[in-house]
Protein backbone atom coordinates (compact mmCIF):
# COMPACT_ATOMS: atom_id res chain seq x y z
CA UNK A 1 0.00 0.00 0.00
CA UNK A 2 2.80 2.39 0.90
CA UNK A 3 4.68 1.47 -2.30
CA UNK A 4 1.60 2.29 -4.33
CA UNK A 5 1.30 5.63 -2.56
CA UNK A 6 4.94 6.46 -3.32
CA UNK A 7 4.47 5.36 -6.92
CA UNK A 8 1.44 7.61 -7.33
CA UNK A 9 3.31 10.50 -5.74
CA UNK A 10 6.25 10.19 -8.15
CA UNK A 11 3.86 9.93 -11.10
CA UNK A 12 1.75 12.91 -10.07
CA UNK A 13 1.58 16.20 -11.97
CA UNK A 14 2.95 18.01 -8.91
CA UNK A 15 6.14 15.92 -8.82
CA UNK A 16 6.54 16.27 -12.59
CA UNK A 17 6.27 20.05 -12.26
CA UNK A 18 8.79 20.06 -9.41
CA UNK A 19 11.31 17.82 -11.19
CA UNK A 20 11.20 20.06 -14.29
CA UNK A 21 11.66 23.33 -12.39
CA UNK A 22 15.33 24.11 -11.60
CA UNK A 23 14.26 27.07 -9.46
CA UNK A 24 12.02 24.88 -7.30
CA UNK A 25 14.71 22.21 -6.92
CA UNK A 26 17.45 24.68 -5.93
CA UNK A 27 15.07 26.50 -3.55
CA UNK A 28 14.04 23.20 -1.95
CA UNK A 29 17.67 22.15 -1.46
CA UNK A 30 18.60 25.50 0.12
CA UNK A 31 15.53 25.46 2.37
CA UNK A 32 16.14 21.84 3.45
CA UNK A 33 19.80 22.57 4.29
CA UNK A 34 18.78 25.53 6.46
CA UNK A 35 15.91 23.58 8.05
CA UNK A 36 18.21 20.66 8.80
CA UNK A 37 20.91 22.89 10.28
CA UNK A 38 18.40 24.75 12.43
CA UNK A 39 16.52 21.65 13.60
CA UNK A 40 19.68 19.75 14.53
CA UNK A 41 21.67 22.79 15.67
CA UNK A 42 22.70 21.21 19.02
CA UNK A 43 24.42 18.39 17.09
CA UNK A 44 25.47 20.21 13.88
CA UNK A 45 26.79 23.48 15.32
CA UNK A 46 30.52 23.34 16.13
CA UNK A 47 29.99 25.35 19.36
CA UNK A 48 27.19 26.26 21.72
CA UNK A 49 27.09 30.04 21.26
CA UNK A 50 24.87 30.74 24.27
CA UNK A 51 26.71 28.67 26.86
CA UNK A 52 28.39 31.37 28.94
CA UNK A 53 30.82 28.88 30.46
CA UNK A 54 32.28 28.09 27.03
CA UNK A 55 32.72 31.71 25.87
CA UNK A 56 36.07 33.47 25.98
CA UNK A 57 36.29 37.23 25.45
CA UNK A 58 39.79 36.70 24.05
CA UNK A 59 38.08 35.14 21.03
CA UNK A 60 35.91 38.21 20.43
CA UNK A 61 35.72 39.84 16.98
CA UNK A 62 37.81 37.21 15.22
CA UNK A 63 37.42 37.40 11.40
CA UNK A 64 36.38 34.42 9.24
CA UNK A 65 38.76 31.46 9.02
CA UNK A 66 40.04 32.37 5.53
CA UNK A 67 41.27 35.74 6.84
CA UNK A 68 44.95 35.79 7.91
CA UNK A 69 43.86 36.79 11.44
CA UNK A 70 41.11 34.16 11.63
CA UNK A 71 41.12 30.77 13.29
CA UNK A 72 40.06 27.46 11.76
CA UNK A 73 37.76 26.61 14.67
CA UNK A 74 35.61 29.69 13.89
CA UNK A 75 34.70 29.30 10.21
CA UNK A 76 32.62 32.49 9.96
CA UNK A 77 34.40 34.37 12.73
CA UNK A 78 33.10 35.47 16.12
CA UNK A 79 31.07 38.36 17.50
CA UNK A 80 31.87 40.86 20.24
CA UNK A 81 31.30 38.23 22.96
CA UNK A 82 33.41 35.52 21.36
CA UNK A 83 30.44 33.53 20.05
CA UNK A 84 31.00 31.45 16.93
CA UNK A 85 28.99 33.10 14.14
CA UNK A 86 28.19 29.85 12.31
CA UNK A 87 26.77 28.32 15.49
CA UNK A 88 24.90 31.53 16.33
CA UNK A 89 23.33 31.56 12.85
CA UNK A 90 22.18 27.93 13.17
CA UNK A 91 20.63 28.58 16.58
CA UNK A 92 19.21 31.91 15.38
CA UNK A 93 17.60 30.26 12.35
CA UNK A 94 16.02 27.79 14.75
CA UNK A 95 14.27 30.61 16.60
CA UNK A 96 13.28 32.37 13.37
CA UNK A 97 11.76 29.20 11.93
CA UNK A 98 9.95 28.43 15.18
CA UNK A 99 8.36 31.88 15.21
CA UNK A 100 7.58 31.66 11.49
CA UNK A 101 5.93 28.24 11.58
CA UNK A 102 4.03 28.91 14.82
CA UNK A 103 2.68 32.28 13.66
CA UNK A 104 1.67 30.84 10.27
CA UNK A 105 -0.17 27.97 11.95
CA UNK A 106 -1.93 30.44 14.25
CA UNK A 107 -2.94 32.65 11.29
CA UNK A 108 -4.06 29.60 9.31
CA UNK A 109 -6.28 28.21 12.07
CA UNK A 110 -7.90 31.58 12.83
CA UNK A 111 -8.28 32.61 9.19
CA UNK A 112 -9.59 29.28 7.90
CA UNK A 113 -12.07 28.98 10.78
CA UNK A 114 -13.44 32.49 10.30
CA UNK A 115 -13.46 32.08 6.52
CA UNK A 116 -15.48 28.86 6.70
CA UNK A 117 -17.99 30.40 9.10
CA UNK A 118 -18.27 33.60 7.08
CA UNK A 119 -18.72 31.87 3.73
CA UNK A 120 -21.10 29.16 4.92
CA UNK A 121 -23.34 31.12 7.29
CA UNK A 122 -23.37 34.44 5.43
CA UNK A 123 -25.63 37.28 6.52
CA UNK A 124 -24.67 39.53 9.41
CA UNK A 125 -21.94 37.19 10.64
CA UNK A 126 -20.29 37.31 7.23
CA UNK A 127 -20.56 41.10 7.10
CA UNK A 128 -19.17 41.49 10.62
CA UNK A 129 -16.13 39.27 10.00
CA UNK A 130 -15.38 40.90 6.64
CA UNK A 131 -15.61 44.42 8.08
CA UNK A 132 -13.06 43.46 10.73
CA UNK A 133 -10.86 42.10 7.95
CA UNK A 134 -11.26 45.33 5.95
CA UNK A 135 -10.27 47.43 8.95
CA UNK A 136 -7.20 45.30 9.59
CA UNK A 137 -6.15 45.47 5.94
CA UNK A 138 -6.02 49.26 6.22
CA UNK A 139 -3.04 48.94 8.60
CA UNK A 140 0.37 47.47 7.69
CA UNK A 141 1.06 44.09 9.30
CA UNK A 142 4.27 45.35 10.92
CA UNK A 143 2.32 48.21 12.56
CA UNK A 144 -0.25 45.78 14.00
CA UNK A 145 2.55 43.56 15.33
CA UNK A 146 4.29 46.58 16.91
CA UNK A 147 1.00 47.70 18.49
CA UNK A 148 0.29 44.28 20.00
CA UNK A 149 3.85 43.95 21.26
CA UNK A 150 3.65 47.41 22.86
CA UNK A 151 0.32 46.61 24.55
CA UNK A 152 1.73 43.32 25.87
CA UNK A 153 4.81 45.06 27.28
CA UNK A 154 2.58 47.59 28.99
CA UNK A 155 0.23 45.03 30.54
CA UNK A 156 2.69 42.28 31.49
CA UNK A 157 5.02 42.59 34.51
CA UNK A 158 8.54 43.65 33.56
CA UNK A 159 10.11 40.44 34.90
CA UNK A 160 7.98 38.39 32.46
CA UNK A 161 8.88 40.34 29.31
CA UNK A 162 11.78 38.11 28.27
CA UNK A 163 10.00 34.93 29.34
CA UNK A 164 6.87 35.63 27.30
CA UNK A 165 8.56 37.51 24.44
CA UNK A 166 8.46 34.49 22.13
CA UNK A 167 4.73 33.86 22.68
CA UNK A 168 3.86 37.55 22.31
CA UNK A 169 5.84 37.71 19.06
CA UNK A 170 4.09 34.62 17.65
CA UNK A 171 0.67 36.04 18.55
CA UNK A 172 1.52 39.49 17.16
CA UNK A 173 2.72 38.14 13.80
CA UNK A 174 -0.02 35.51 13.62
CA UNK A 175 -2.94 37.83 14.32
CA UNK A 176 -1.73 40.25 11.65
CA UNK A 177 -1.89 37.62 8.89
CA UNK A 178 -5.23 35.81 9.27
CA UNK A 179 -7.12 38.05 6.83
CA UNK A 180 -5.63 36.53 3.65
CA UNK A 181 -6.69 33.05 4.74
CA UNK A 182 -10.17 34.18 5.77
CA UNK A 183 -10.93 36.02 2.52
CA UNK A 184 -9.62 33.18 0.34
CA UNK A 185 -11.51 30.46 2.26
CA UNK A 186 -14.67 32.56 2.38
CA UNK A 187 -14.76 32.89 -1.41
CA UNK A 188 -14.11 29.18 -1.94
CA UNK A 189 -16.70 28.22 0.69
CA UNK A 190 -19.38 30.38 -0.94
CA UNK A 191 -18.80 28.43 -4.16
CA UNK A 192 -18.73 25.00 -2.50
CA UNK A 193 -21.82 25.49 -0.33
CA UNK A 194 -24.05 25.71 -3.42
CA UNK A 195 -22.78 22.49 -4.98
CA UNK A 196 -24.88 19.33 -5.09
CA UNK A 197 -22.84 17.28 -2.62
CA UNK A 198 -23.27 19.95 0.07
CA UNK A 199 -26.99 20.26 -0.67
CA UNK A 200 -27.33 16.48 -0.42
CA UNK A 201 -25.50 16.46 2.92
CA UNK A 202 -27.92 19.08 4.23
CA UNK A 203 -30.94 17.09 3.07
CA UNK A 204 -29.91 13.94 4.93
CA UNK A 205 -29.48 15.95 8.14
CA UNK A 206 -25.71 16.23 8.50
CA UNK A 207 -24.79 19.01 10.91
CA UNK A 208 -23.17 22.18 9.50
CA UNK A 209 -19.98 21.59 11.51
CA UNK A 210 -19.59 18.13 9.99
CA UNK A 211 -20.27 19.47 6.48
CA UNK A 212 -17.61 22.15 6.94
CA UNK A 213 -15.05 19.72 8.37
CA UNK A 214 -15.56 16.71 6.12
CA UNK A 215 -16.76 18.14 2.83
CA UNK A 216 -15.91 21.81 2.37
CA UNK A 217 -12.59 22.12 4.24
CA UNK A 218 -10.67 19.54 2.13
CA UNK A 219 -11.80 21.28 -1.06
CA UNK A 220 -10.55 24.73 -0.02
CA UNK A 221 -7.14 23.73 1.36
CA UNK A 222 -5.26 23.98 -1.96
CA UNK A 223 -5.08 27.80 -2.04
CA UNK A 224 -4.55 27.84 1.73
CA UNK A 225 -1.35 25.78 1.45
CA UNK A 226 0.00 28.18 -1.17
CA UNK A 227 -0.77 31.19 1.03
CA UNK A 228 0.82 29.46 4.03
CA UNK A 229 4.04 28.78 2.13
CA UNK A 230 4.39 32.39 1.00
CA UNK A 231 3.25 33.66 4.40
CA UNK A 232 6.05 31.70 6.08
CA UNK A 233 8.65 33.85 4.31
CA UNK A 234 6.73 37.00 5.26
CA UNK A 235 6.50 35.89 8.89
CA UNK A 236 10.25 35.22 9.05
CA UNK A 237 10.99 38.69 7.61
CA UNK A 238 8.49 40.30 10.00
CA UNK A 239 10.11 38.58 12.98
CA UNK A 240 13.54 39.74 11.81
CA UNK A 241 12.23 43.29 11.41
CA UNK A 242 10.71 43.35 14.88
CA UNK A 243 13.85 41.84 16.41
CA UNK A 244 16.00 44.37 14.54
CA UNK A 245 13.86 47.14 16.04
CA UNK A 246 14.46 45.69 19.50
CA UNK A 247 10.93 44.47 20.23
CA UNK A 248 11.37 40.81 19.37
CA UNK A 249 13.39 37.96 20.81
CA UNK A 250 15.74 38.97 23.68
CA UNK A 251 19.51 38.97 23.03
CA UNK A 252 19.98 35.98 25.37
CA UNK A 253 18.36 33.69 22.76
CA UNK A 254 18.73 35.72 19.56
CA UNK A 255 17.06 35.03 16.25
CA UNK A 256 18.54 36.02 12.90
CA UNK A 257 16.98 39.47 13.23
CA UNK A 258 18.54 39.99 16.66
CA UNK A 259 21.95 38.89 15.36
CA UNK A 260 21.67 41.41 12.52
CA UNK A 261 20.74 44.17 14.99
CA UNK A 262 23.70 43.31 17.24
CA UNK A 263 26.11 43.18 14.32
CA UNK A 264 24.84 46.42 12.82
CA UNK A 265 26.72 48.33 15.52
CA UNK A 266 30.00 46.87 14.25
CA UNK A 267 29.35 47.14 10.50
CA UNK A 268 31.43 50.30 10.01
CA UNK A 269 34.15 49.40 12.50
CA UNK A 270 35.59 46.59 10.36
CA UNK A 271 33.76 43.59 11.87
CA UNK A 272 31.45 43.25 8.87
CA UNK A 273 30.97 39.49 9.27
CA UNK A 274 28.94 39.94 12.48
CA UNK A 275 25.98 41.33 10.55
CA UNK A 276 26.62 40.23 6.94
CA UNK A 277 26.50 36.46 7.50
CA UNK A 278 23.22 36.47 9.51
CA UNK A 279 21.79 38.79 6.85
CA UNK A 280 22.79 36.41 4.05
CA UNK A 281 21.29 33.47 5.95
CA UNK A 282 18.02 35.39 6.39
CA UNK A 283 17.91 36.31 2.69
CA UNK A 284 18.57 32.72 1.58
CA UNK A 285 15.92 31.36 3.95
CA UNK A 286 13.20 33.85 2.99
CA UNK A 287 14.01 33.74 -0.73
CA UNK A 288 14.02 29.93 -0.94
CA UNK A 289 10.69 29.63 0.88
CA UNK A 290 9.18 32.41 -1.23
CA UNK A 291 10.30 30.81 -4.50
CA UNK A 292 8.86 27.47 -3.35
CA UNK A 293 5.58 29.22 -2.64
CA UNK A 294 5.56 30.78 -6.11
CA UNK A 295 6.23 27.39 -7.69
CA UNK A 296 3.49 25.72 -5.64
CA UNK A 297 1.01 28.43 -6.63
CA UNK A 298 1.76 27.91 -10.33
CA UNK A 299 1.81 24.08 -10.02
CA UNK A 300 -1.62 23.97 -8.36
CA UNK A 301 -3.18 26.37 -10.88
CA UNK A 302 -4.71 24.31 -13.73
CA UNK A 303 -4.71 27.35 -16.05
CA UNK A 304 -0.90 27.50 -15.92
CA UNK A 305 -0.25 23.82 -16.70
Amino acid sequence: MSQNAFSRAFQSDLFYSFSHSPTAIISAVVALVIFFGALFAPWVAPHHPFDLASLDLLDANLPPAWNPDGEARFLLGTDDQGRDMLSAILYGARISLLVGFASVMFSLVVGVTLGLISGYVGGRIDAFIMRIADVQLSFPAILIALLIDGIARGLLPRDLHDTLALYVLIFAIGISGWVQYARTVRGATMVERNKEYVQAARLIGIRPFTILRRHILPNVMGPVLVIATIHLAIAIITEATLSFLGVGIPPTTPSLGTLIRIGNSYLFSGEWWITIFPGVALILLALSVNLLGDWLRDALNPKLR
Side-chain angles (χ1 to χ4, degrees):
M1 186 70 177
S2 59
Q3 292 180 351
N4 292 334
F6 277 114
S7 177
R8 287 195 300 269
F10 282 114
Q11 295 175 4
S12 65
D13 293 339
L14 194 64
F15 181 78
Y16 178 84
S17 174
F18 177 79
S19 61
H20 287 74
S21 174
T23 301
I25 294 174
I26 295 173
S27 300
V29 170
V30 173
L32 285 175
V33 168
I34 298 176
F35 288 177
F36 178 85
L39 183 62
F40 298 100
W43 298 275
V44 176
H47 305 275
H48 193 307
F50 311 124
D51 182 10
L52 298 179
S54 64
L55 298 181
D56 188 351
L57 291 178
L58 295 177
D59 295 328
N61 297 328
L62 289 176
W66 58 84
N67 190 287
D69 297 327
E71 295 186 11
R73 57 196 178 106
F74 301 119
L75 181 62
L76 300 183
T78 61
D79 64 2
D80 60 314
Q81 299 181 32
R83 295 183 295 198
D84 175 51
M85 288 306 304
L86 176 58
S87 302
I89 289 172
L90 292 176
Y91 276 86
R94 200 180 197 192
I95 299 295
S96 295
L97 286 171
L98 172 61
V99 173
F101 275 108
S103 58
V104 166
M105 287 303 301
F106 179 73
S107 295
L108 189 149
V109 171
V110 174
V112 169
T113 301
L114 293 178
L116 286 172
I117 295 173
S118 179
Y120 188 81
V121 177
R124 293 183 178 180
I125 295 178
D126 175 34
F128 177 72
I129 294 175
M130 287 300 102
R131 295 300 76 77
I132 294 177
D134 291 339
V135 170
Q136 181 162 328
L137 284 176
S138 64
F139 297 95
I142 189 69
L143 182 60
I144 296 174
L146 283 170
L147 177 63
I148 294 175
D149 184 85
I151 293 175
R153 288 175 179 269
L155 295 178
L156 296 174
R158 186 177 297 272
D159 57 341
L160 294 179
H161 285 178
D162 288 349
T163 304
L164 299 178
L166 179 66
Y167 304 101
V168 172
L169 190 61
I170 291 172
F171 177 79
I173 297 174
I175 203 65
S176 64
W178 66 271
V179 176
Q180 288 79 8
Y181 299 95
R183 292 169 70 94
T184 301
V185 172
R186 171 183 176 267
T189 303
M190 293 178 70
V191 174
E192 295 295 327
R193 73 179 182 182
N194 295 320
K195 292 187 175 180
E196 294 180 354
Y197 73 95
V198 175
Q199 300 294 340
R202 287 176 175 172
L203 288 175
I204 62 177
I206 297 179
R207 295 180 301 174
F209 176 77
T210 304
I211 294 175
L212 289 173
R213 180 173 59 88
R214 290 185 179 179
H215 302 291
I216 296 181
L217 180 60
N219 291 318
V220 302
M221 285 304 293
V224 169
L225 293 178
V226 175
I227 296 174
T229 305
I230 298 175
H231 187 209
L232 176 60
I234 298 174
I236 292 172
I237 293 295
T238 304
E239 181 278 323
T241 303
L242 292 173
S243 297
F244 185 83
L245 295 174
V247 296
I249 302 298
T252 52
T253 55
S255 64
L256 291 177
T258 310
L259 291 174
I260 295 172
R261 176 173 63 85
I262 294 172
N264 188 57
S265 304
Y266 300 90
L267 183 60
F268 298 105
S269 62
E271 290 84 9
W272 51 268
W273 58 88
I274 301 179
T275 190
I276 292 297
F277 289 134
V280 170
L282 178 63
I283 292 172
L284 289 176
L285 176 58
L287 183 61
S288 62
V289 173
N290 210 3
L291 290 175
L292 279 175
D294 290 341
W295 162 78
L296 187 62
R297 178 195 58 201
D298 296 341
L300 293 178
N301 189 347
K303 296 181 181 179
L304 298 177
R305 292 179 184 175

